Structure formats: C-alpha cells, structure tokens
Amino acid sequence: MGSVDFIPVNEPLLDGNEKKYLCECIDSGWISSEGPFVKKFETEMSGTVGRRYGIAVTNGTAALEVAVRALGITQGDEVIMPTFTIISCAMAVTKAGATPVLVDCDAYTWNMDVDEVEKKITPKTKAIMVVHIYGLPVQMEPILKLAEKYSLKVIEDAAQMHGQTYRSKPCGSFGDISAFSFYPNKHVTTGEGGMVVTDDAELAERCCLLRNLCFRKDKRYVHDEISGNYRFTNLQAAVGLAQLERLDWFIERKRTMGRYYTEALKDVRGLRLPVEKTDDADNIYWVYGVVLEQDIPISNREMVERLARLGIGCRTFFWCMHEQPVYVRDGYFHGEKYANAEYLARKGFYIPSGIALTQRQMETVVEKLKQAINEI
Ligand SMILES: *Cc1c(COP(=O)(O)O)cnc(C)c1O
C-alpha cells in the first residue's frame, strides 16, 4: 500500500466474506487443491458466463497455456492474435511450439482490428485468440463468422472481462474455450489464479489432465504427455467465492469510477480518453487508460515517472508482441509494423483504477494529472 500519501495503481477490496471463508479452510484443514471450495468456485464462476465447465488453475497465464494445449495446437500451427496484448497470449502459443500471427489494434477501442484477421489466415492457421482489452469487448461477430468459414478454433482471453458482455452475451462465453485471470487487479481476485471455461466435455477433460501433470486416467504416476502442475488451492477458491458474491457491485462501481474520470478529464488538453460505449457494450473500465496526443512531446514512461513523483501510481500500456526483445531475437515478426499498437505502447498509460479507490483519491488523481500535463 506504500506511503500514506501515495495512491497505488491498484488496490483490491477484500472486506466481504473473504476472511470468513479463509477461516473455514484453516479450521477444516482443507487448504490444498482437494478442498471443497475449488469445485464450488469452478461451478459458480463458469455459471456467471453460462459455461458448462470451469477448470481453475494457478493463474491466467496458465489458463491460456492449458487452453492452447487442450485444443491440440502444436508445432507448425499458427494462431492469430493482437500484437497489443500481454505476453501470456503469445507465450502460450510459442510454448506449444506454434507461431503467433499478429494483427494491429483499433486506435480508440484498443481492441484487435477484426478487419485485418482474414488477410492473415493461411493453411496453417488453427485458431484465433481474441483478447478483450481494458474494458470493451472485441467485435465477436466477425471473428465467429471467420472461424466458421475457415474451420478455426476460437480462444477467448477474458482475463479483464469478468462481468462484461458483448451484445448482452457474457464475455467468457464465446468460442471454443475462454480464459480468466484472478490477479489482484482483475474484477475478481484470488491473489493469483485463473480459470479455463468451456462447454465441450472433451476439452474440459483435457484441461483437467493438463492441470495435473497429465496423469494417465487408468494409471496414476504413468504419463503420456508433458504438462505441469497448475492446480488451484482451496484458499484461493475461498477468496474467489467471496469476491464473486460482489461481482455485480464491483462492475457498477468500476463504471461509476470511469464516468467520474471521463467527466473530470474531458477538457484536459492532449489526453485521449477511453471510449465510453460502442454498439456492442458499455465500457467497464477494467483500468482507466489514457493516451497522450501527438502534441504532448513525452513518452508514457516519462509521464508515469512524473506522476509517481506527484504520488500517483500509474502504469504504461502493454508493449507490442512484435517488439518484444525475446521474439525479435528468436526471429519472429521480422520487419512487421503495427502503427496503432506502437503508438499506444509509447503513449498510453493507466491511472489508479482499483476497486478500493475512494472519491477523494480520484479527485487527487485528476488534480495531479492536470498538474503534470500543465508542466509540459
Ligand atoms: C492479467 C492477464 C493475463 C494473465 O493473467 P495472470 O493471472 O497474471 O497470469 C492474461 N491475459 C490478459 C488479457 C490479462 O489481462
């Protein structure tokens, strides 16, 4: 939580039944992945998006890895995804031996440009990985149409989208398989945690195997495949269940916070604010992101440093996949350029947006942000 005056970029709210359920774990001795809260959390979480199966795993990154592996994506396959995302998406694909194929994003919604996807489809394309970014959903209809036309799988990264919908249908319910994260800055947190959700019984079974070392079903300690230990604990599930009880309120609160920031910042020069709504959804402001306009001659990094000196914790936007040193070194994405994503990566940052943020703190954030802009 830092010093008294510093306003952190994120602070979760844990004052519901979290403590009560955690004490039940301790009192009953159930703290491992075998505890009864895990199943309950899987059922309730998958229920929030109307999916039949939920498989809880150690974190959102693991959820993506398990999802990619469960679909049988492997050496020689290609998976189309946005360049503007977290590396967990690309890593899930490269760790499976497959190749990420990138598309740019929209300059205003920050989501993948669905019009670029079809051009990137080749005979090797196996799946499209959609990633809903920062509060608005990806345009799913064109993606699902392409998937149908070319017989592609759809993996939905809904890590930032608990409680969001696309045309009234929950994010996390689209495509073959979806992944959630429960990191503390997500709308539902378990400290660390993630979940794969799907309607496909076979995929769900694959996910369960992959989560737990790929033990052979008929012979424990005998293995046909390499995987990992991605098990989720009863302690995590206890916190998650308490968080889920308040999801609707969390989303309402996030929207109120987002609207406040927009109203307070709309006349500040040089700042591009998040899109409030599209035809498909109202923003849930997973984080409240802003983008410096061209006439503000500093980078997001420098702005974040300046705001830190004023006591405001901010964070820069994602760094593009095609500019990741590790992928450039390994020969991926040679010479590729994605102008919108590159701009966001250099000029975008988000301001304190955690659910525990108070009105007074938001007023201070606005005041200091205006001050920082005026000092340029
Ligand atoms: C947070 C996040 C992840 C990774 O989740 P972890 O739980 O931190 O591993 C993956 N994708 C997106 C879009 C995220 O925001």
Side-chain angles (χ1 to χ4, degrees):
M1 278 167 220
S3 72
V4 198
D5 294 317
F6 194 84
I7 300 178
V9 68
N10 175 66
E11 201 180 321
L13 206 53
L14 301 166
D15 56 356
N17 283 322
E18 287 82 355
K19 200 181 274 180
K20 175 166 172 253
Y21 298 159
L22 277 171
C23 287
E24 285 179 35
C25 297
I26 306 280
D27 292 341
S28 67
W30 284 113
I31 58 170
S32 79
S33 58
E34 298 287 321
F37 285 149
V38 177
K39 269 258 144 19
K40 190 153 189 268
F41 181 57
E42 288 176 335
T43 305
E44 297 212 353
M45 180 65 213
S46 54
T48 66
V49 296
R51 287 285 209 187
R52 212 165 289 152
Y53 306 99
I55 302 92
V57 293
T58 40
N59 52 58
T61 303
L64 288 167
E65 268 184 57
V66 166
V68 165
R69 284 280 306 275
L71 287 169
I73 290 166
T74 185
Q75 202 97 41
D77 294 337
E78 294 176 355
V79 178
I80 297 173
M81 66 173 68
T83 188
F84 187 67
T85 185
I86 190 164
I87 199 159
S88 310
C89 302
M91 267 179 9
V93 170
T94 54
K95 277 178 131 181
T99 306
V101 172
L102 305 176
V103 296
D104 203 354
C105 61
D106 181 88
Y108 297 94
T109 66
W110 312 329
N111 273 315
M112 67 195 287
D113 183 347
V114 296
D115 295 332
E116 278 194 24
V117 173
E118 192 163 18
K119 289 180 270 195
K120 297 287 178 119
I121 296 173
T122 76
K124 291 181 178 172
T125 309
K126 189 85 183 265
I128 303 169
M129 184 185 283
V130 300
V131 189
H132 308 294
I133 302 283
Y134 297 168
L136 285 169
V138 171
Q139 293 174 276
M140 292 307 303
E141 191 179 289
I143 295 287
L144 295 171
K145 276 195 181 137
L146 285 175
E148 170 128 22
K149 181 171 168 193
Y150 294 94
S151 298
L152 305 176
K153 302 290 182 191
V154 173
I155 306 161
E156 184 190 19
D157 181 349
Q160 307 174 349
M161 287 294 118
H162 314 252
Q164 180 57 296
T165 55
Y166 165 85
R167 300 188 183 172
S168 306
K169 194 172 179 295
C171 292
S173 69
F174 291 95
D176 298 273
I177 197 163
S178 310
F180 282 103
S181 163
F182 307 117
Y183 189 69
N185 62 4
K186 312 293 157 107
H187 296 139
V188 170
T189 182
T190 63
E192 296 286 348
M195 195 180 291
V196 183
V197 296
T198 180
D199 289 319
D200 182 317
E202 226 170 284
L203 274 181
E205 195 181 315
R206 285 274 304 148
C207 290
C208 286
L209 285 179
L210 288 160
R211 166 172 66 179
N212 189 20
L213 304 173
C214 284
F215 279 111
R216 221 160 88 176
K217 254 173 63 189
D218 54 335
K219 275 192 191 154
R220 199 171 171 84
Y221 304 114
V222 177
H223 307 263
D224 297 318
E225 272 184 271
I226 294 295
S227 181
N229 171 359
Y230 302 127
R231 297 187 300 258
F232 185 82
T233 71
N234 209 46
L235 296 166
Q236 291 169 291
V239 175
L241 280 168
Q243 290 267 299
L244 265 189
E245 290 170 357
R246 300 210 289 172
L247 178 57
D248 291 346
W249 182 79
F250 284 170
I251 298 304
E252 203 184 296
R253 174 80 191 129
K254 281 281 198 176
R255 285 201 166 116
T256 305
M257 290 165 68
R259 283 194 294 262
Y260 167 76
Y261 273 143
T262 295
E263 186 55 34
L265 294 171
K266 67 179 194 297
D267 297 326
V268 179
R269 83 184 158 93
L271 273 193
R272 195 191 303 166
L273 305 182
V275 172
E276 283 178 76
K277 58 160 73 187
T278 64
D279 291 343
D280 306 322
D282 291 353
N283 206 324
I284 51 168
Y285 306 99
W286 171 62
V287 291
Y288 194 90
V290 297
V291 181
L292 298 171
E293 297 285 12
Q294 221 109 38
D295 58 336
I296 304 288
I298 65 168
S299 70
N300 52 359
R301 248 165 239 288
E302 170 152 14
M303 193 64 182
V304 167
E305 278 165 27
R306 286 180 184 215
L307 282 160
R309 287 198 290 273
L310 295 173
I312 310 297
C314 298
R315 194 160 293 170
T316 56
F317 275 11
F318 294 133
W319 193 246
C320 303
M321 290 309 103
H322 68 284
E323 297 189 287
Q324 292 295 339
V326 61
Y327 286 133
V328 170
R329 185 197 70 201
D330 291 350
Y332 289 90
F333 319 129
H334 186 70
E336 293 179 28
K337 290 243 167 286
Y338 302 97
N340 291 340
E342 287 169 24
Y343 190 85
L344 294 181
R346 285 159 178 78
K347 293 290 207 174
F349 63 99
Y350 52 93
I351 61 180
S353 321
I355 204 87
L357 205 64
T358 64
Q359 180 63 30
R360 281 252 335 251
Q361 285 177 313
M362 282 194 287
E363 286 164 17
T364 307
V365 171
V366 167
E367 180 198 324
K368 300 292 180 189
L369 183 51
K370 285 181 177 170
Q371 181 186 335
I373 296 271
N374 282 334
E375 282 170 5
I376 292 164

